[in-house]
Amino acid sequence: MEPKGIRRLWSFDTRGLDRDQIRTLYLIIIAVFGGTSWKNITTGVAMTGYLKALGMSDFLYGVVVALPSVTNAFQFLFSYMMEHRWNRERMFRTAGLIQRLSWILFGLVPFIIPMRDGPLRIWAAAFLALVSAAMQPATVMGSMSIFADVVPDRIRGQYFAVRSRLATVVALCVGLCVGTLMDSLPAFTNYLVIFTIAGVIGAMDITLFFFMKIPPQRKRVTGEGMGAMFRRVFRNRNYMRLCVFSALSYFATYLALPYFTVYMNSALRLTGLQMVFVHELLASAVSIVAVGRWGRAMDRFGHKPVVLLSTLLGAFVPLI
């Protein structure tokens, strides 16, 4: 029987699943609270305000913001090592904890390095951002592999719709808190508090995976080397077309995205709370309404029609 009312916001079809599977699926949903809070703080208006307050130039700011995208190019290496040598859970947990906790040090930079050493402050912050970005491929590949084995195929659309909906609600609340803290606390103290919260809550997200029952990792028994793996990938025409599409899409998106908050801050002179409202709250409100419908559409019609429709609609947004 399909849940109704408020329960529909967080429920999914559990038929045929045992108690451990259901518990693990709900823990993954709970973990999204910490993961979303960490991501929104470290990629949103707080990150922009902090780096600009340190005196970082627009060029170096763009480089720092682009670091996760650059390191993600090495996901293939982590994927290969995970399938052939490493334990995915240990890789995911270790990289995830390093990635999340490094942001506490990131917020401490102005309090550790004297004011007169401005360039050293900037490079220390850039280095810690690089440490976090270097852990990104391991956390992404580890989580994707775990989700693929834990979430049943038949409910993936509705399950990830539930998870995305709750993540959006969390993003909404976190955005309000971040905007308020940025405007109400003294300079740099506000960022220390914000990034410490991000590091602690983000680490709690990773810690939850210690309490999940995750199926054994399927290892490749073939002796396929890195070169053979690449040849097999490049021969897959559908996959290569997807790679070209993704590359063009990401290039178009990230060419402008890092500078939206810079523009709102420097040119429009918006306060932290106003930037959060424009940058996050409106998008969150729409997502809460729409994400469930997209999830049900995926389960009913398949992923390809939904991707085609959403991509065509999204392509016209920058024109506005």
Side-chain angles (χ1 to χ4, degrees):
M1 188 174 184
E2 187 177 1
K4 297 181 179 181
I6 191 70
R7 188 165 173 260
R8 189 174 180 177
L9 294 175
W10 54 270
S11 294
F12 53 89
D13 188 359
T14 59
R15 289 174 297 178
L17 305 178
D18 61 39
R19 183 175 298 179
D20 286 333
Q21 287 177 299
I22 296 172
R23 179 174 174 272
T24 297
L25 289 172
Y26 274 113
L27 283 176
I28 291 176
I29 288 178
I30 294 172
V32 81
F33 285 77
T36 299
S37 300
W38 170 82
K39 183 177 181 181
N40 274 45
I41 291 173
T42 58
T43 60
V45 295
M47 174 72 162
T48 302
Y50 180 68
L51 294 180
K52 300 306 290 184
L54 288 175
M56 191 170 285
S57 66
D58 284 344
F59 173 76
L60 186 55
Y61 165 78
V63 171
V64 170
V65 172
L67 285 175
S69 299
V70 174
T71 56
N72 274 338
F74 295 93
Q75 283 185 11
F76 72 91
L77 179 61
F78 285 89
S79 176
Y80 178 83
M81 295 302 294
M82 182 180 68
E83 289 187 356
H84 291 78
R85 300 179 184 276
W86 294 345
N87 179 285
R88 66 176 176 187
E89 294 173 45
R90 190 180 298 119
M91 178 189 77
F92 169 74
R93 294 164 182 165
T94 302
L97 288 174
I98 293 173
Q99 181 187 42
R100 307 303 168 83
L101 293 175
S102 65
W103 288 90
I104 299 177
L105 291 175
F106 185 78
L108 282 168
V109 166
F111 300 91
I112 297 175
I113 301 175
M115 193 72 177
R116 63 179 179 274
D117 297 323
L120 183 59
R121 281 183 166 190
I122 292 173
W123 287 109
F127 172 75
L128 289 168
L130 176 61
V131 170
S132 175
M135 299 298 107
Q136 180 83 353
T139 57
V140 170
M141 295 310 305
S143 61
M144 288 175 64
S145 176
I146 290 171
F147 292 167
D149 285 346
V150 169
V151 184
D153 231 5
R154 65 179 179 83
I155 63 167
R156 283 186 182 175
Q158 60 174 286
Y159 177 79
F160 284 109
V162 169
R163 194 170 181 269
S164 298
R165 186 185 293 117
L166 292 178
T168 303
V169 174
V170 173
L172 193 66
C173 299
V174 170
L176 286 171
C177 292
V178 167
T180 303
L181 287 172
M182 285 179 63
D183 291 338
S184 59
L185 294 178
F188 290 123
T189 300
N190 52 359
Y191 296 115
L192 173 61
V193 172
I194 290 169
F195 289 122
T196 299
I197 292 173
V200 172
I201 297 180
M204 290 171 60
D205 159 29
I206 303 297
T207 303
L208 282 175
F209 282 80
F210 284 94
F211 303 96
M212 299 177 188
K213 186 175 181 180
I214 299 171
Q217 181 180 352
R218 295 190 293 270
K219 294 282 188 179
R220 288 189 178 272
V221 295
T222 63
E224 184 182 44
M226 184 76 73
M229 182 188 75
F230 269 111
R231 287 192 294 272
R232 179 165 53 84
V233 168
F234 284 116
R235 282 197 297 264
N236 189 329
R237 294 185 178 181
N238 280 336
Y239 180 71
M240 292 310 299
R241 281 196 288 266
L242 176 63
C243 287
V244 172
F245 159 77
S246 299
L248 293 174
S249 176
Y250 286 135
F251 177 81
T253 300
Y254 288 102
L255 182 65
L257 185 61
Y259 296 97
F260 288 160
T261 48
V262 174
Y263 172 72
M264 288 188 288
N265 189 329
S266 59
L268 299 182
R269 303 294 181 185
L270 300 183
T271 66
L273 192 58
Q274 288 173 330
M275 284 192 291
V276 166
F277 178 81
V278 173
H279 195 259
E280 296 176 10
L281 301 195
L282 292 177
S284 298
V286 174
S287 295
I288 291 172
V289 175
V291 70
R293 298 181 184 276
W294 285 119
R296 289 193 295 274
M298 286 182 188
D299 289 335
R300 183 176 179 182
F301 302 108
H303 295 84
K304 185 176 180 179
V306 174
V307 171
L308 285 171
L309 179 60
S310 60
T311 304
L312 287 172
L313 293 175
F316 290 97
V317 172
L319 297 176
I320 300 175

